[in-house]
Amino acid sequence: MTSSPPLPVKPAAPTVRSSLAHAVRGALIGIVELVPGVSGGTVALVLGIFDRLITSANHLIRGVVRLAFKRGGQGVSHHLGGVEWSLVIPLLVGMFFALFALSGPLHAFVEGEPTLSSALFLGMVSASLLVPISMAREAGPVTRRTLIAGPLVVLAVAGAAFWLLGLPSMQVEDPAWWVLVLSGAAAVCALALPGLSGSFILLTFGMYEPTLEAVSERDFGYLALFASGAVLGLASIVQLLAYLLRVHRRAVLLVATGLILGSLRALWPWQDNGTLLPPDGDWLGPLLAALGGATVVLLLWLRERRGIAAAASL
């Protein structure tokens, strides 16, 4: 008999300080969504808001669907009332601000300092592995079966992700409207699935440069088609993920761990067209950048753990 997953801690009443903090969290998610190999879902895990975001998104989607097709007033009120608006609204504001205001400078940093930026993100993503691992351990009792099956699932998923990320990327010129819709649907999975990088998905299918250019140049026609696909993709993946987190929480977290582990291939600082190379002579700077990135993530994780523990003790 397995125990139920721990119930999420009831959020405190919103304040100006908490709203600003959520806006900063949204900005962090927006920033990493611009970087190939780094997942916004992973950042949400590290920041301790992953479950709350999935729950709120699931309620929002169900409420909108009921309003549009079922005309059920009571059901609409129930689902929209289940959305944690004090988290979602400032988070979205911060995320879109970062996407539009920082896309240019961040792209310049990634393009101008590819080795240093990759090392920085490698350290951050490596340290973030602690988050799904600790959550999986807390998802239920540890048995002999889970001790054997858990690492096997992680290694199998990591191996598949490692192989897929080694495939050569393409470049699409003047994409058709349906390509933009499908690209948005695929890329938005990274917001819901830790370990999947929306930017790397776009890079693999040759849509990263056109999309980043559209964001930088405010091409709203392009962005509208991309966003419509993102809405469709998010509506389907969020409901599935919300169900799996309720019924198979540990399995989802183990898969997330494998995806994050396998995604490290995309962030190895020394590679050429997907071929991994040994470090060159100038390795001290990238090493310090990786250690710095890992330290930032560990500090954020420890801070969130202390906050959750303090809230649960009240």
PDB file of all heavy atoms in Angstrom, residues 55-88:
ATOM      1  N   THR A  55      -1.208  22.844 -11.333  1.00  0.00           N
ATOM      2  CA  THR A  55      -2.568  22.827 -10.797  1.00  0.00           C
ATOM      3  C   THR A  55      -3.369  24.030 -11.284  1.00  0.00           C
ATOM      4  O   THR A  55      -4.518  23.901 -11.713  1.00  0.00           O
ATOM      5  CB  THR A  55      -2.532  22.811  -9.258  1.00  0.00           C
ATOM      6  OG1 THR A  55      -1.829  21.639  -8.815  1.00  0.00           O
ATOM      7  CG2 THR A  55      -3.938  22.786  -8.674  1.00  0.00           C
ATOM      8  N   SER A  56      -2.764  25.213 -11.220  1.00  0.00           N
ATOM      9  CA  SER A  56      -3.460  26.428 -11.669  1.00  0.00           C
ATOM     10  C   SER A  56      -3.752  26.373 -13.164  1.00  0.00           C
ATOM     11  O   SER A  56      -4.857  26.738 -13.607  1.00  0.00           O
ATOM     12  CB  SER A  56      -2.609  27.662 -11.342  1.00  0.00           C
ATOM     13  OG  SER A  56      -2.555  27.897  -9.955  1.00  0.00           O
ATOM     14  N   ALA A  57      -2.781  25.943 -13.958  1.00  0.00           N
ATOM     15  CA  ALA A  57      -2.985  25.865 -15.402  1.00  0.00           C
ATOM     16  C   ALA A  57      -4.082  24.864 -15.739  1.00  0.00           C
ATOM     17  O   ALA A  57      -4.903  25.101 -16.639  1.00  0.00           O
ATOM     18  CB  ALA A  57      -1.682  25.478 -16.098  1.00  0.00           C
ATOM     19  N   ASN A  58      -4.114  23.748 -15.029  1.00  0.00           N
ATOM     20  CA  ASN A  58      -5.148  22.742 -15.270  1.00  0.00           C
ATOM     21  C   ASN A  58      -6.529  23.301 -14.964  1.00  0.00           C
ATOM     22  O   ASN A  58      -7.481  23.118 -15.725  1.00  0.00           O
ATOM     23  CB  ASN A  58      -4.865  21.512 -14.416  1.00  0.00           C
ATOM     24  CG  ASN A  58      -5.789  20.347 -14.756  1.00  0.00           C
ATOM     25  OD1 ASN A  58      -6.059  20.086 -15.921  1.00  0.00           O
ATOM     26  ND2 ASN A  58      -6.270  19.665 -13.740  1.00  0.00           N
ATOM     27  N   HIS A  59      -6.677  24.010 -13.835  1.00  0.00           N
ATOM     28  CA  HIS A  59      -7.961  24.630 -13.495  1.00  0.00           C
ATOM     29  C   HIS A  59      -8.358  25.677 -14.534  1.00  0.00           C
ATOM     30  O   HIS A  59      -9.532  25.770 -14.926  1.00  0.00           O
ATOM     31  CB  HIS A  59      -7.876  25.280 -12.115  1.00  0.00           C
ATOM     32  CG  HIS A  59      -8.089  24.325 -10.987  1.00  0.00           C
ATOM     33  ND1 HIS A  59      -9.252  23.608 -10.820  1.00  0.00           N
ATOM     34  CD2 HIS A  59      -7.281  23.964  -9.952  1.00  0.00           C
ATOM     35  CE1 HIS A  59      -9.165  22.853  -9.740  1.00  0.00           C
ATOM     36  NE2 HIS A  59      -7.974  23.045  -9.197  1.00  0.00           N
ATOM     37  N   LEU A  60      -7.411  26.481 -14.973  1.00  0.00           N
ATOM     38  CA  LEU A  60      -7.699  27.530 -15.947  1.00  0.00           C
ATOM     39  C   LEU A  60      -8.180  26.936 -17.262  1.00  0.00           C
ATOM     40  O   LEU A  60      -9.178  27.399 -17.849  1.00  0.00           O
ATOM     41  CB  LEU A  60      -6.450  28.378 -16.180  1.00  0.00           C
ATOM     42  CG  LEU A  60      -6.580  29.514 -17.202  1.00  0.00           C
ATOM     43  CD1 LEU A  60      -7.663  30.501 -16.785  1.00  0.00           C
ATOM     44  CD2 LEU A  60      -5.246  30.230 -17.376  1.00  0.00           C
ATOM     45  N   ILE A  61      -7.493  25.906 -17.735  1.00  0.00           N
ATOM     46  CA  ILE A  61      -7.871  25.276 -19.000  1.00  0.00           C
ATOM     47  C   ILE A  61      -9.260  24.651 -18.895  1.00  0.00           C
ATOM     48  O   ILE A  61     -10.111  24.807 -19.776  1.00  0.00           O
ATOM     49  CB  ILE A  61      -6.820  24.221 -19.399  1.00  0.00           C
ATOM     50  CG1 ILE A  61      -5.511  24.908 -19.789  1.00  0.00           C
ATOM     51  CG2 ILE A  61      -7.326  23.359 -20.554  1.00  0.00           C
ATOM     52  CD1 ILE A  61      -4.339  23.963 -19.885  1.00  0.00           C
ATOM     53  N   ARG A  62      -9.526  23.948 -17.796  1.00  0.00           N
ATOM     54  CA  ARG A  62     -10.839  23.324 -17.621  1.00  0.00           C
ATOM     55  C   ARG A  62     -11.943  24.378 -17.525  1.00  0.00           C
ATOM     56  O   ARG A  62     -13.048  24.190 -18.054  1.00  0.00           O
ATOM     57  CB  ARG A  62     -10.830  22.443 -16.372  1.00  0.00           C
ATOM     58  CG  ARG A  62     -10.035  21.158 -16.534  1.00  0.00           C
ATOM     59  CD  ARG A  62     -10.000  20.357 -15.236  1.00  0.00           C
ATOM     60  NE  ARG A  62      -9.329  19.091 -15.412  1.00  0.00           N
ATOM     61  CZ  ARG A  62      -9.944  17.966 -15.788  1.00  0.00           C
ATOM     62  NH1 ARG A  62     -11.247  17.982 -16.026  1.00  0.00           N
ATOM     63  NH2 ARG A  62      -9.274  16.854 -15.926  1.00  0.00           N
ATOM     64  N   GLY A  63     -11.655  25.490 -16.840  1.00  0.00           N
ATOM     65  CA  GLY A  63     -12.642  26.546 -16.726  1.00  0.00           C
ATOM     66  C   GLY A  63     -12.970  27.184 -18.065  1.00  0.00           C
ATOM     67  O   GLY A  63     -14.132  27.426 -18.393  1.00  0.00           O
ATOM     68  N   VAL A  64     -11.929  27.445 -18.867  1.00  0.00           N
ATOM     69  CA  VAL A  64     -12.142  28.052 -20.180  1.00  0.00           C
ATOM     70  C   VAL A  64     -12.899  27.100 -21.099  1.00  0.00           C
ATOM     71  O   VAL A  64     -13.818  27.511 -21.837  1.00  0.00           O
ATOM     72  CB  VAL A  64     -10.789  28.449 -20.805  1.00  0.00           C
ATOM     73  CG1 VAL A  64     -10.963  28.871 -22.250  1.00  0.00           C
ATOM     74  CG2 VAL A  64     -10.147  29.573 -20.003  1.00  0.00           C
ATOM     75  N   VAL A  65     -12.539  25.819 -21.087  1.00  0.00           N
ATOM     76  CA  VAL A  65     -13.240  24.835 -21.918  1.00  0.00           C
ATOM     77  C   VAL A  65     -14.710  24.739 -21.528  1.00  0.00           C
ATOM     78  O   VAL A  65     -15.607  24.697 -22.379  1.00  0.00           O
ATOM     79  CB  VAL A  65     -12.545  23.458 -21.807  1.00  0.00           C
ATOM     80  CG1 VAL A  65     -13.402  22.368 -22.453  1.00  0.00           C
ATOM     81  CG2 VAL A  65     -11.178  23.496 -22.475  1.00  0.00           C
ATOM     82  N   ARG A  66     -14.981  24.689 -20.225  1.00  0.00           N
ATOM     83  CA  ARG A  66     -16.372  24.605 -19.767  1.00  0.00           C
ATOM     84  C   ARG A  66     -17.148  25.870 -20.154  1.00  0.00           C
ATOM     85  O   ARG A  66     -18.308  25.798 -20.550  1.00  0.00           O
ATOM     86  CB  ARG A  66     -16.406  24.393 -18.251  1.00  0.00           C
ATOM     87  CG  ARG A  66     -17.808  24.232 -17.678  1.00  0.00           C
ATOM     88  CD  ARG A  66     -17.750  23.833 -16.217  1.00  0.00           C
ATOM     89  NE  ARG A  66     -17.282  22.482 -16.055  1.00  0.00           N
ATOM     90  CZ  ARG A  66     -18.075  21.412 -16.119  1.00  0.00           C
ATOM     91  NH1 ARG A  66     -19.374  21.560 -16.347  1.00  0.00           N
ATOM     92  NH2 ARG A  66     -17.593  20.201 -15.936  1.00  0.00           N
ATOM     93  N   LEU A  67     -16.498  27.016 -20.042  1.00  0.00           N
ATOM     94  CA  LEU A  67     -17.159  28.266 -20.402  1.00  0.00           C
ATOM     95  C   LEU A  67     -17.481  28.319 -21.892  1.00  0.00           C
ATOM     96  O   LEU A  67     -18.549  28.796 -22.310  1.00  0.00           O
ATOM     97  CB  LEU A  67     -16.271  29.448 -20.018  1.00  0.00           C
ATOM     98  CG  LEU A  67     -16.797  30.854 -20.346  1.00  0.00           C
ATOM     99  CD1 LEU A  67     -18.062  31.143 -19.540  1.00  0.00           C
ATOM    100  CD2 LEU A  67     -15.727  31.901 -20.042  1.00  0.00           C
ATOM    101  N   ALA A  68     -16.558  27.809 -22.723  1.00  0.00           N
ATOM    102  CA  ALA A  68     -16.727  27.912 -24.168  1.00  0.00           C
ATOM    103  C   ALA A  68     -17.686  26.878 -24.735  1.00  0.00           C
ATOM    104  O   ALA A  68     -18.422  27.170 -25.683  1.00  0.00           O
ATOM    105  CB  ALA A  68     -15.364  27.781 -24.850  1.00  0.00           C
ATOM    106  N   PHE A  69     -17.687  25.676 -24.150  1.00  0.00           N
ATOM    107  CA  PHE A  69     -18.433  24.590 -24.790  1.00  0.00           C
ATOM    108  C   PHE A  69     -19.583  24.015 -23.960  1.00  0.00           C
ATOM    109  O   PHE A  69     -20.530  23.491 -24.512  1.00  0.00           O
ATOM    110  CB  PHE A  69     -17.469  23.442 -25.153  1.00  0.00           C
ATOM    111  CG  PHE A  69     -16.395  23.856 -26.106  1.00  0.00           C
ATOM    112  CD1 PHE A  69     -15.088  24.021 -25.665  1.00  0.00           C
ATOM    113  CD2 PHE A  69     -16.679  24.094 -27.441  1.00  0.00           C
ATOM    114  CE1 PHE A  69     -14.084  24.405 -26.544  1.00  0.00           C
ATOM    115  CE2 PHE A  69     -15.680  24.483 -28.319  1.00  0.00           C
ATOM    116  CZ  PHE A  69     -14.389  24.639 -27.876  1.00  0.00           C
ATOM    117  N   LYS A  70     -19.471  24.110 -22.624  1.00  0.00           N
ATOM    118  CA  LYS A  70     -20.470  23.444 -21.793  1.00  0.00           C
ATOM    119  C   LYS A  70     -21.432  24.404 -21.112  1.00  0.00           C
ATOM    120  O   LYS A  70     -22.446  23.978 -20.566  1.00  0.00           O
ATOM    121  CB  LYS A  70     -19.778  22.568 -20.745  1.00  0.00           C
ATOM    122  CG  LYS A  70     -18.936  21.455 -21.364  1.00  0.00           C
ATOM    123  CD  LYS A  70     -18.348  20.542 -20.297  1.00  0.00           C
ATOM    124  CE  LYS A  70     -17.537  19.414 -20.951  1.00  0.00           C
ATOM    125  NZ  LYS A  70     -16.954  18.498 -19.931  1.00  0.00           N
ATOM    126  N   ARG A  71     -21.100  25.666 -21.104  1.00  0.00           N
ATOM    127  CA  ARG A  71     -21.961  26.684 -20.504  1.00  0.00           C
ATOM    128  C   ARG A  71     -22.313  26.352 -19.062  1.00  0.00           C
ATOM    129  O   ARG A  71     -23.421  26.628 -18.599  1.00  0.00           O
ATOM    130  CB  ARG A  71     -23.273  26.824 -21.311  1.00  0.00           C
ATOM    131  CG  ARG A  71     -23.063  27.025 -22.798  1.00  0.00           C
ATOM    132  CD  ARG A  71     -22.388  28.342 -23.091  1.00  0.00           C
ATOM    133  NE  ARG A  71     -22.227  28.532 -24.536  1.00  0.00           N
ATOM    134  CZ  ARG A  71     -21.608  29.552 -25.083  1.00  0.00           C
ATOM    135  NH1 ARG A  71     -21.081  30.485 -24.316  1.00  0.00           N
ATOM    136  NH2 ARG A  71     -21.507  29.659 -26.392  1.00  0.00           N
ATOM    137  N   GLY A  72     -21.405  25.775 -18.344  1.00  0.00           N
ATOM    138  CA  GLY A  72     -21.679  25.395 -16.956  1.00  0.00           C
ATOM    139  C   GLY A  72     -21.158  26.431 -15.995  1.00  0.00           C
ATOM    140  O   GLY A  72     -19.976  26.457 -15.672  1.00  0.00           O
ATOM    141  N   GLY A  73     -22.016  27.337 -15.523  1.00  0.00           N
ATOM    142  CA  GLY A  73     -21.580  28.441 -14.678  1.00  0.00           C
ATOM    143  C   GLY A  73     -20.932  28.003 -13.395  1.00  0.00           C
ATOM    144  O   GLY A  73     -19.911  28.538 -12.972  1.00  0.00           O
ATOM    145  N   GLN A  74     -21.523  26.997 -12.720  1.00  0.00           N
ATOM    146  CA  GLN A  74     -20.963  26.546 -11.447  1.00  0.00           C
ATOM    147  C   GLN A  74     -19.590  25.919 -11.644  1.00  0.00           C
ATOM    148  O   GLN A  74     -18.667  26.157 -10.888  1.00  0.00           O
ATOM    149  CB  GLN A  74     -21.909  25.551 -10.782  1.00  0.00           C
ATOM    150  CG  GLN A  74     -21.455  25.113  -9.401  1.00  0.00           C
ATOM    151  CD  GLN A  74     -22.470  24.195  -8.743  1.00  0.00           C
ATOM    152  OE1 GLN A  74     -23.515  23.897  -9.316  1.00  0.00           O
ATOM    153  NE2 GLN A  74     -22.173  23.750  -7.536  1.00  0.00           N
ATOM    154  N   GLY A  75     -19.450  25.111 -12.688  1.00  0.00           N
ATOM    155  CA  GLY A  75     -18.164  24.489 -12.953  1.00  0.00           C
ATOM    156  C   GLY A  75     -17.103  25.507 -13.307  1.00  0.00           C
ATOM    157  O   GLY A  75     -15.942  25.380 -12.916  1.00  0.00           O
ATOM    158  N   VAL A  76     -17.505  26.550 -14.053  1.00  0.00           N
ATOM    159  CA  VAL A  76     -16.556  27.605 -14.411  1.00  0.00           C
ATOM    160  C   VAL A  76     -16.045  28.298 -13.164  1.00  0.00           C
ATOM    161  O   VAL A  76     -14.840  28.531 -12.993  1.00  0.00           O
ATOM    162  CB  VAL A  76     -17.219  28.617 -15.370  1.00  0.00           C
ATOM    163  CG1 VAL A  76     -16.309  29.824 -15.567  1.00  0.00           C
ATOM    164  CG2 VAL A  76     -17.528  27.961 -16.708  1.00  0.00           C
ATOM    165  N   SER A  77     -16.952  28.653 -12.258  1.00  0.00           N
ATOM    166  CA  SER A  77     -16.553  29.335 -11.019  1.00  0.00           C
ATOM    167  C   SER A  77     -15.625  28.460 -10.187  1.00  0.00           C
ATOM    168  O   SER A  77     -14.646  28.948  -9.611  1.00  0.00           O
ATOM    169  CB  SER A  77     -17.799  29.696 -10.203  1.00  0.00           C
ATOM    170  OG  SER A  77     -18.641  30.555 -10.938  1.00  0.00           O
ATOM    171  N   HIS A  78     -15.920  27.169 -10.148  1.00  0.00           N
ATOM    172  CA  HIS A  78     -15.086  26.253  -9.362  1.00  0.00           C
ATOM    173  C   HIS A  78     -13.661  26.204  -9.906  1.00  0.00           C
ATOM    174  O   HIS A  78     -12.696  26.320  -9.151  1.00  0.00           O
ATOM    175  CB  HIS A  78     -15.707  24.855  -9.376  1.00  0.00           C
ATOM    176  CG  HIS A  78     -14.797  23.787  -8.862  1.00  0.00           C
ATOM    177  ND1 HIS A  78     -14.482  23.644  -7.520  1.00  0.00           N
ATOM    178  CD2 HIS A  78     -14.086  22.817  -9.516  1.00  0.00           C
ATOM    179  CE1 HIS A  78     -13.651  22.635  -7.357  1.00  0.00           C
ATOM    180  NE2 HIS A  78     -13.398  22.111  -8.561  1.00  0.00           N
ATOM    181  N   HIS A  79     -13.546  26.038 -11.232  1.00  0.00           N
ATOM    182  CA  HIS A  79     -12.208  25.887 -11.814  1.00  0.00           C
ATOM    183  C   HIS A  79     -11.431  27.201 -11.802  1.00  0.00           C
ATOM    184  O   HIS A  79     -10.243  27.221 -11.462  1.00  0.00           O
ATOM    185  CB  HIS A  79     -12.322  25.345 -13.235  1.00  0.00           C
ATOM    186  CG  HIS A  79     -12.660  23.894 -13.301  1.00  0.00           C
ATOM    187  ND1 HIS A  79     -11.852  22.919 -12.773  1.00  0.00           N
ATOM    188  CD2 HIS A  79     -13.738  23.253 -13.826  1.00  0.00           C
ATOM    189  CE1 HIS A  79     -12.400  21.721 -12.978  1.00  0.00           C
ATOM    190  NE2 HIS A  79     -13.536  21.900 -13.611  1.00  0.00           N
ATOM    191  N   LEU A  80     -12.103  28.302 -12.163  1.00  0.00           N
ATOM    192  CA  LEU A  80     -11.392  29.581 -12.151  1.00  0.00           C
ATOM    193  C   LEU A  80     -11.032  29.996 -10.728  1.00  0.00           C
ATOM    194  O   LEU A  80     -10.017  30.664 -10.503  1.00  0.00           O
ATOM    195  CB  LEU A  80     -12.237  30.665 -12.823  1.00  0.00           C
ATOM    196  CG  LEU A  80     -12.492  30.474 -14.319  1.00  0.00           C
ATOM    197  CD1 LEU A  80     -13.256  31.659 -14.879  1.00  0.00           C
ATOM    198  CD2 LEU A  80     -11.185  30.270 -15.081  1.00  0.00           C
ATOM    199  N   GLY A  81     -11.852  29.587  -9.756  1.00  0.00           N
ATOM    200  CA  GLY A  81     -11.511  29.862  -8.360  1.00  0.00           C
ATOM    201  C   GLY A  81     -10.332  29.043  -7.876  1.00  0.00           C
ATOM    202  O   GLY A  81      -9.673  29.410  -6.890  1.00  0.00           O
ATOM    203  N   GLY A  82     -10.046  27.927  -8.568  1.00  0.00           N
ATOM    204  CA  GLY A  82      -8.903  27.093  -8.193  1.00  0.00           C
ATOM    205  C   GLY A  82      -7.577  27.597  -8.739  1.00  0.00           C
ATOM    206  O   GLY A  82      -6.512  27.068  -8.392  1.00  0.00           O
ATOM    207  N   VAL A  83      -7.628  28.612  -9.614  1.00  0.00           N
ATOM    208  CA  VAL A  83      -6.391  29.188 -10.171  1.00  0.00           C
ATOM    209  C   VAL A  83      -5.768  30.122  -9.133  1.00  0.00           C
ATOM    210  O   VAL A  83      -6.446  30.976  -8.562  1.00  0.00           O
ATOM    211  CB  VAL A  83      -6.684  29.972 -11.463  1.00  0.00           C
ATOM    212  CG1 VAL A  83      -5.399  30.605 -12.001  1.00  0.00           C
ATOM    213  CG2 VAL A  83      -7.322  29.069 -12.507  1.00  0.00           C
ATOM    214  N   GLU A  84      -4.488  29.944  -8.887  1.00  0.00           N
ATOM    215  CA  GLU A  84      -3.776  30.810  -7.941  1.00  0.00           C
ATOM    216  C   GLU A  84      -3.329  32.070  -8.692  1.00  0.00           C
ATOM    217  O   GLU A  84      -2.175  32.221  -9.077  1.00  0.00           O
ATOM    218  CB  GLU A  84      -2.577  30.065  -7.358  1.00  0.00           C
ATOM    219  CG  GLU A  84      -1.997  30.717  -6.126  1.00  0.00           C
ATOM    220  CD  GLU A  84      -0.835  29.933  -5.551  1.00  0.00           C
ATOM    221  OE1 GLU A  84      -0.741  28.714  -5.790  1.00  0.00           O
ATOM    222  OE2 GLU A  84      -0.004  30.554  -4.856  1.00  0.00           O
ATOM    223  N   TRP A  85      -4.266  32.999  -8.852  1.00  0.00           N
ATOM    224  CA  TRP A  85      -4.020  34.187  -9.659  1.00  0.00           C
ATOM    225  C   TRP A  85      -2.880  35.031  -9.099  1.00  0.00           C
ATOM    226  O   TRP A  85      -2.152  35.678  -9.868  1.00  0.00           O
ATOM    227  CB  TRP A  85      -5.289  35.025  -9.755  1.00  0.00           C
ATOM    228  CG  TRP A  85      -6.419  34.336 -10.446  1.00  0.00           C
ATOM    229  CD1 TRP A  85      -7.543  33.796  -9.876  1.00  0.00           C
ATOM    230  CD2 TRP A  85      -6.524  34.068 -11.861  1.00  0.00           C
ATOM    231  NE1 TRP A  85      -8.343  33.222 -10.832  1.00  0.00           N
ATOM    232  CE2 TRP A  85      -7.749  33.388 -12.063  1.00  0.00           C
ATOM    233  CE3 TRP A  85      -5.719  34.362 -12.955  1.00  0.00           C
ATOM    234  CZ2 TRP A  85      -8.171  32.981 -13.320  1.00  0.00           C
ATOM    235  CZ3 TRP A  85      -6.140  33.960 -14.212  1.00  0.00           C
ATOM    236  CH2 TRP A  85      -7.348  33.283 -14.382  1.00  0.00           C
ATOM    237  N   SER A  86      -2.729  35.047  -7.790  1.00  0.00           N
ATOM    238  CA  SER A  86      -1.668  35.851  -7.179  1.00  0.00           C
ATOM    239  C   SER A  86      -0.284  35.331  -7.544  1.00  0.00           C
ATOM    240  O   SER A  86       0.708  36.059  -7.430  1.00  0.00           O
ATOM    241  CB  SER A  86      -1.822  35.867  -5.659  1.00  0.00           C
ATOM    242  OG  SER A  86      -1.755  34.546  -5.133  1.00  0.00           O
ATOM    243  N   LEU A  87      -0.203  34.082  -8.002  1.00  0.00           N
ATOM    244  CA  LEU A  87       1.055  33.522  -8.505  1.00  0.00           C
ATOM    245  C   LEU A  87       1.137  33.666 -10.019  1.00  0.00           C
ATOM    246  O   LEU A  87       2.165  34.108 -10.556  1.00  0.00           O
ATOM    247  CB  LEU A  87       1.157  32.046  -8.121  1.00  0.00           C
ATOM    248  CG  LEU A  87       2.245  31.222  -8.837  1.00  0.00           C
ATOM    249  CD1 LEU A  87       3.638  31.701  -8.425  1.00  0.00           C
ATOM    250  CD2 LEU A  87       2.068  29.737  -8.551  1.00  0.00           C
ATOM    251  N   VAL A  88       0.055  33.319 -10.707  1.00  0.00           N
ATOM    252  CA  VAL A  88       0.085  33.221 -12.165  1.00  0.00           C
ATOM    253  C   VAL A  88       0.283  34.581 -12.834  1.00  0.00           C
ATOM    254  O   VAL A  88       1.113  34.724 -13.743  1.00  0.00           O
ATOM    255  CB  VAL A  88      -1.215  32.556 -12.676  1.00  0.00           C
ATOM    256  CG1 VAL A  88      -1.284  32.605 -14.198  1.00  0.00           C
ATOM    257  CG2 VAL A  88      -1.294  31.116 -12.186  1.00  0.00           C
TER     258      VAL A  88
END
